Amino acid sequence: MQKFDKLSGIAAPLPLVNIDTDMIIPKQFLKTIKRSGLGVNLFDEMRYDREGNEIADFVLNKPAYREAQILVTGDNFGCGSSREHAPWALADFGIRAIISTSFADIFYNNCFKNGILPIVLPQEQVDVLMSDAEKGANARMEVDLEAQTVTTSDGEVFGFEIDPHRKHCLINGLDDIGLTLEKAAAIDAFEARASAERPWV
Amino acid sequence: MSPKTLYDKIWDAHLAHEAEDGTCLIYIDRHLVHEVTSPQAFEGLRMAGRTVRAPDKTIAVPDHNVPTTEGRENPEAMTEDSRIQVAALDKNATDFGIHYYPVSDVRQGIVHIVGPEQGWTLPGMTVVCGDSHTATHGAFGALAHGIGTSEVEHVLATQTLIQRKAKNMKVEITGKLNPGVTAKDITLSVIGATGTAGGTGYVIEYCGEAIRELSMEGRMTVCNMAIEGGARAGLIAPDEKTFEYIRGRPHAPKAGQWEQAMEWWKTLYSDDDAQWDKVVTIRGEDIAPVVTWGTSPEDVLPITEAVPAPESFKGGKVDAVRRALDYMGLTPGQKLTDIEIDTVFIGSCTNGRIEDLRAAAEVLKGKKVKDGMRAMVVPGSGLVRAQAEEEGLADIFREAGFEWRLAGCSMCLAMNPDQLAPGERCASTSNRNFEGRQGYKGRTHLMSPAMAAAAAVTGHLTDIRDLA
């Protein structure tokens, strides 16, 4: 997995609430058996018309935001389906951090498996960052995972909370499965105990 | 011992390891797999030279892509990408030796209907699937939730998940339901009250008289949509109805083990003085037959109401409602019962079970689908379909003018050929009214099977109580 330590990049404002995973990556793109190549279809139905032409006023189609690496969004981002195609599409486009007041649980979890940092901040701070993002390409936002801070282009700094295990894995680009397999003895022991107590399972 | 919730009890019984920083490994009893969210996980296993740790606890069935029309065994019936995905599941199931119900098997169906039907889902279990509607299995008092593909791979390789414990939320539905009010109205009304993020970070336990009175099918409908309220999992404590439903199913515990299982299952309830982080109480009598009017499942109102104005909301929701009304082609003040419908879809993991088909058929008996409308019933599994044919329900649907389909997810998410055309408006028993969910620019109104059947007869959203 791609490591995440520090990021300085363009932030795109997407102030809509309840952006669901169907909007992030519509179902017709779930028929792939690969993880890669979904970036071109990120936000497909908001980004392109039926003929496949770009819709000019969609934020990621504007010249200032085509290279965005950070999204600042409305409440409850990533609600709906568990499809990991959503973070795959975001990562493939180049998004490495997403800032909102809240994220849907499954999506939040999926981000960490794909080198994306979801950052939860209170409404008034998200409002400041949204305004900052609206300044366009000259305003670069900074995210520092080690220090757990977001810095606006004006130098205003906001701290955020993150689970220590997730932070450790993201900073070091660690593979969960490898880490869990180191605990195989504990899983073996649990299985032996459980199959004695609940043999019908 | 300190009092525990049902969730606490299941969690404690599956804790395989706890690290110093509080990160837990939870053991998974059942892993359900479908064709859309698993190919990359199996590919990951192969690339790392890993295997499936517990193939006997892993069950696969294709459901999202499969056509629901006759002759679907013919590879030509699917688009090439769908065919590749289903073929990948065929191969992965064979290569890794996991339980499998192919399209040709009468037991095939939507994964969340097949699991309980076959007795794979049992009280007190941990159940996961790469699908957010895994919450359905919570109706049995199983801790069940959706996971992403990386976690699918993690469970395949280790039979565990890395988890942090969620908070406990109690949703109590007191008293009795009025006539015409169903499990779907309960679950939509709860989301209407709490919002789509109201359950984020929580596991919900549904309780109260109105929940106890529901059949197992109804309880599955309620838990199915826990995720639409933001909660990863919804739970209902098992009782005699649960045990009766399970008894005799192919993978239910057999004689000898049954008594042992029952002994544990009967301890699966929240203690009286258990601590809740959030409590929501709704009077059953206050719940009306409801429909959604917008593009979020929280956009729900009693059928007697009118389309709301964006200005009546607060914060970011004002713009969201403006956008939703534009997308849905609705105007504030318009009566919900005046909204005309083009298509009716009865099915999905929310409402594709036998009781749902009975409820819809009851409304349709001796009636016809309004001229010019498209109406389809997609049973949740091959066995539901067979039972509905035996009970004469299929004849009622056909005579009314409904298409009688084969089992699958179908128009709930429109990954197969069952889709809405742009602007087409659907009365649907599914679970999501998101933009584009049932087809590009398609418009979805969520409701109960009886309400969807009523809309098929009248051609517009209809109060089921007026039709009876």
Side-chain angles (χ1 to χ4, degrees), chain B residues 137-216:
Chain B
H137 307 264
F140 292 80
L143 178 60
H145 60 81
I147 54 178
T149 298
S150 294
E151 288 182 318
V152 169
E153 186 178 340
H154 191 279
V155 176
L156 289 172
T158 71
Q159 206 55 30
T160 64
L161 265 187
I162 300 172
Q163 293 265 285
R164 284 241 166 205
K165 203 169 170 207
K167 290 179 282 186
N168 281 292
M169 176 168 171
K170 176 160 91 167
V171 173
E172 188 177 14
I173 313 294
T174 62
K176 299 203 184 311
L177 299 177
N178 286 318
V181 179
T182 68
K184 185 65 166 287
D185 301 297
I186 293 179
T187 203
L188 281 170
S189 298
V190 170
I191 298 161
T194 60
T196 51
T200 303
Y202 295 91
V203 164
I204 295 178
E205 182 176 339
Y206 299 94
C207 61
E209 187 187 346
I211 298 289
R212 296 257 71 89
E213 288 296 314
L214 292 176
S215 64
M216 288 313 296

Side-chain angles (χ1 to χ4, degrees), chain A residues 165-180:
Chain A
H165 174 76
R166 285 176 159 147
K167 176 178 174 177
H168 174 72
C169 290
L170 208 48
I171 285 182
N172 297 292
L174 296 178
D175 165 23
D176 277 345
I177 297 177
L179 289 176
T180 298

Side-chain angles (χ1 to χ4, degrees), chain A residues 18 20 22 27 30-32 34 50 76 80-81 84 105 109-110 163 165 180 188 190-191 198 201, chain B residues 13 23 27 30 40 53 82 85 148-151 154 164 196 201 232 298 413 415 432 436-437 440:
Chain A
N18 294 333
D20 57 68
D22 276 82
K27 68 219 161 243
L30 308 190
K31 296 190 181 190
T32 174
K34 301 191 177 342
R50 207 73 219 270
N76 198 27
S81 150
E84 200 161 318
D105 279 343
N109 211 33
N110 283 342
D163 174 85
H165 174 76
T180 298
D188 290 343
F190 177 90
E191 242 171 13
R198 299 190 292 273
V201 175
Chain B
T23 305
Y27 192 82
R30 292 286 180 264
Q40 295 87 349
R53 182 182 167 103
S82 291
Q85 226 170 31
T149 298
S150 294
E151 288 182 318
H154 191 279
R164 284 241 166 205
T196 51
R232 264 190 163 203
E298 70 188 15
L413 86 167
M415 273 191 80
R432 288 190 177 131
R437 173 79 178 181
Y440 181 75

